[in-house]
């Protein structure tokens, strides 16, 4: 499996082995945290990871890609890359909500076993993308986009938080922040494991934008002069 | 050497284009596929291209457009020899989708990638219809996004900008005047239609930057647009009917007059005997008509590709890619960046 994510400042590419009844195993990965480099680095990263894993792209069985939510420009790089790879290699591409993978990373840390969790990523403009998870890392609410202070009244009871948004707005959330900031390739694959193993038909590769484009319709005819 | 198939991907503005060109052993180009998905209708109510709307549309359209192009060409993606993609100039978010996809296609197929200049692509488009360019020619690129005069001395490496617009692109002026006249977006086709029923000499709109001390090859359309607006408002205030067809024809005449006069002057000054006109506005009937008249009078050969090749498409990028491959250019690196302000002198990002 090839796992890609560009919904956070991390440019993530990893090669993961997935066998039935076993947790996904990381073979190689390349991750660079640079919110401006998704377009440049994602393909070089995935090629290097494949080379280190000792496989050719044509040997892949499937591709898993984080579908966001994330700041739009970077988010689209992962999806465009995954879609084109899937088409050229004739392999299925499975979208996974990015916070689902971060939640599984948080659960895997084992520091807060058995209690629910908030995942918040940076949505810029002083907002966060957020979702709530149960103790097993299953999503119970979200993803939504809100100002951190507006999340609190909507938030189901949780005991800890993960993701970069949780870190940036730690004061507002007043929750212990665990060390799961960006989605790992293994958790991206884990989040899609059931579909991958059953060979289910992948969902449409639609990014979770959560926001409408900023655009205003002009009111009436435009006056050029005063 | 056998035939080589070059894939071209374009996403710099509101068209998602995929083209496939066959490069023969003798350097001849044959267009096998030219598929375009446009988001122009989604932008119409905003009166101009909304970058985020365009970027979203590119992502949705990329794979289906590729599928149609491959079917149209009757090939398999694995038959592709090289992948060319617009790396700039254009809208940052829009370019990024095409380049990300192009890198993935190149990586998956294990083929070289060429990140190329959109403007040079417009010139290369003409070679798909009219064959190789002469050693030297002048190109006039006019569209909603660009208005440029170029000296082309080699498609693969020697393109020099000799003039450009100092404010609006010609197509932008069309869009703005169309809105003023309550015509739909994009403004080019409706103004062209309306102008055919009007008199281009009815109103003497100004010709920007044509004074003796003005820059010889640069354009300015902002003053023209303002002048049209003033004229229309003056009529309205006086309670007069607006002669829409005459306004459209006179505006169009001013645009075509300046563009062709400067292009022909550049040809004469530089001792060039061929003028290429490309870009969306090249389809304008008055521009091509007046250019044909004036080129004939000046003994200059005029090349205008058919409208389908003039507007943004993947075929022009595939054509430029083919010229680069034929010239033995080295591929671009896989960590290639998009360059929204890429100057036309940079034909390929190396
Ligand atoms: Zn163009």
């Amino acid at each position: 499996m090839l796992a890609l994510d560009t919904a956070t400042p991390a440019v993530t590419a990893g090669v993961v082995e997935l066998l039935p009844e076993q947790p996904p195993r990381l073979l190689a990965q390349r991750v660079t945290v640079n919110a401006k480099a998704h377009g440049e680095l994602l393909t070089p990263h995935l090629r290097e990871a494949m080379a280190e894993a000792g496989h050719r792209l044509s040997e892949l069985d499937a591709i898993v890609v984080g579908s966001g939510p994330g700041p739009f420009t970077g988010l689209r790089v992962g999806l465009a890359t995954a879609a084109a790879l899937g088409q050229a290699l004739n392999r299925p591409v499975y979208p996974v909500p990015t916070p689902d993978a971060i939640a599984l990373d948080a659960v895997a840390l084992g520091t807060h076993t058995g209690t629910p969790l908030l995942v918040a990523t940076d949505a810029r403009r002083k907002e966060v993308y957020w979702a709530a998870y149960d103790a097993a890392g299953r999503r119970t609410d979200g993803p939504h986009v809100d100002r951190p202070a507006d999340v609190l009244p909507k938030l189901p009871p949780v005991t800890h938080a993960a993701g970069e948004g949780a870190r940036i707005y730690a004061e507002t959330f007043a929750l212990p922040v665990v060390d799961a900031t960006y989605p790992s390739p293994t958790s991206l694959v884990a989040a899609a494991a059931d579909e991958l193993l059953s060979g289910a038909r992948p969902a449409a590769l639609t990014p979770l934008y959560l926001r409408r484009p900023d655009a205003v319709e002009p009111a009436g005819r435009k006056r050029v002069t005063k | 050497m056998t035939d080589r198939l070059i894939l071209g991907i374009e996403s710099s503005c509101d068209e998602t284009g995929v083209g496939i060109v066959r490069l023969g052993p003798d350097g001849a180009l044959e267009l096998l596929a030219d598929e375009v998905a446009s988001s122009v209708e989604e932008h119409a109510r905003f009166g101009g291209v909304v970058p985020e709307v365009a970027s979203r549309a590119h992502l949705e359209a990329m794979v289906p457009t590729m599928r149609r192009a491959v079917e149209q060409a009757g090939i398999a993606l694995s038959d592709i020899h090289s992948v060319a993609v617009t790396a700039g100039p254009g809208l940052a978010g829009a370019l990024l989708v095409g380049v990300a996809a192009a890198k993935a296609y190149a990586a998956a197929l294990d083929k070289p990638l060429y990140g190329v200049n959109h403007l040079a692509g417009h010139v290369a488009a003409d070679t798909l219809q009219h064959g190789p360019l002469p050693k030297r020619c002048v190109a006039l690129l006019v569209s909603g996004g660009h208005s440029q005069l170029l000296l082309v001395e080699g498609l693969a490496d020697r393109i020099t900008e000799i003039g450009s617009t100092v404010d609006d692109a010609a197509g932008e002026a069309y869009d703005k005047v169309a809105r003023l006249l309550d015509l739909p977006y994009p403004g080019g086709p409706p103004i062209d239609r309306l102008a055919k029923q009007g008199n281009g000499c009815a109103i003497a709109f100004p010709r920007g930057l044509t004074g003796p001390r003005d820059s010889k090859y640069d354009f300015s359309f902002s003053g023209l647009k303002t002048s049209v607006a003033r004229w229309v408002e003056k009529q309205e205030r006086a309670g007069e009917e607006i002669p829409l067809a005459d306004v459209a024809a006179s505006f169009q005449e001013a645009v075509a007059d300046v563009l062709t006069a400067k292009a022909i002057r550049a040809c004469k000054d530089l001792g060039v005997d061929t003028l290429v006109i490309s870009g969306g506005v090249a389809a304008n009937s008055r521009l091509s008509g007046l250019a044909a008249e004036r080129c004939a009078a000046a003994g200059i050969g005029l090349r205008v590709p058919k409208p389908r090749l003039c507007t943004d498409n993947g075929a022009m990028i595939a054509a430029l890619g083919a010229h680069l491959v034929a010239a033995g250019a080295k591929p671009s690196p896989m960590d290639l960046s998009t360059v929204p302000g890429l100057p036309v002198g940079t034909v390929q990002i190396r």
Side-chain angles (χ1 to χ4, degrees), chain A residues 85-157:
Chain A
L85 284 176
Q87 183 178 30
L89 299 169
N90 197 20
R91 294 293 188 280
V93 183
Y94 293 87
V96 167
T98 299
D100 292 7
I102 297 175
L104 291 178
D105 284 329
V107 170
L109 285 172
T111 49
H112 287 71
T113 317
T115 55
L117 162 79
L118 163 72
V119 174
T121 59
D122 186 9
R124 305 201 188 140
R125 301 186 207 168
K126 301 201 166 105
E127 293 185 322
V128 289
Y129 299 114
W130 67 278
Y133 293 83
D134 68 12
R138 282 182 301 249
R139 182 152 33 93
T140 55
D141 197 358
H144 307 287
V145 62
D146 280 299
R147 288 212 295 225
D150 299 336
V151 174
L152 295 172
K154 303 179 190 172
L155 189 62

Side-chain angles (χ1 to χ4, degrees), chain A residues 161-184:
Chain A
E164 196 176 35
R167 208 172 281 273
I168 298 171
Y169 301 104
E171 258 177 53
T172 309
F173 291 126
L175 288 166
V177 179
V178 299
D179 192 19
T181 311
Y182 306 121
S184 70

Side-chain angles (χ1 to χ4, degrees), chain B residues 118 122 143 146 312 316:
Chain B
H118 174 85
H122 273 304
S143 75
H146 10 277
D312 290 352
M316 69 188 213

Side-chain angles (χ1 to χ4, degrees), chain A residues 39-41 43-44 47 56-57 72-73 76-77 79-81 83-85 87-89 207 209 211-218 221-226, chain B residues 45-46 50 52-53 55-56 59 63 66-67 77 96-97 100-101 103-105 107-109 176 179-180 182 225-226 229-230 232-233 236 334-337:
Chain A
E40 280 106 69
L41 296 183
T43 293
R47 296 222 300 181
R56 302 165 58 86
L57 279 164
F72 308 153
T73 304
R76 274 188 289 266
V77 169
L79 286 153
T81 302
L85 284 176
Q87 183 178 30
L89 299 169
Y209 287 121
R211 283 184 187 135
R212 294 182 166 284
D214 290 323
V216 212
E217 283 183 52
R221 186 211 286 174
K222 191 184 166 198
R223 295 282 161 174
V224 185
T225 54
K226 309 253 150 55
Chain B
R45 64 200 174 101
F46 302 110
V50 181
E52 177 60 22
V53 172
S55 301
R56 290 184 182 194
L59 180 59
V63 165
M66 179 65 69
R67 186 180 309 125
L77 257 178
L96 206 53
V97 175
K103 288 183 180 185
Y105 287 119
L109 303 170
K176 288 175 179 170
R179 222 160 107 199
L180 205 68
D182 285 322
K225 165 201 75 192
T226 308
R230 288 224 174 91
V232 168
E233 280 166 24
E236 277 177 343
M334 269 295 179
D335 64 354
L336 152 82
S337 306

Side-chain angles (χ1 to χ4, degrees), chain B residues 142-166:
Chain B
V142 271
S143 75
H146 10 277
S147 301
Q148 264 131 336
L149 267 176
L150 313 175
L151 174 62
V152 182
E153 294 171 293
L155 261 179
D157 56 350
R158 292 199 65 188
I159 300 184
T160 323
E161 181 176 291
I162 50 180
S164 71
T165 180
V166 298

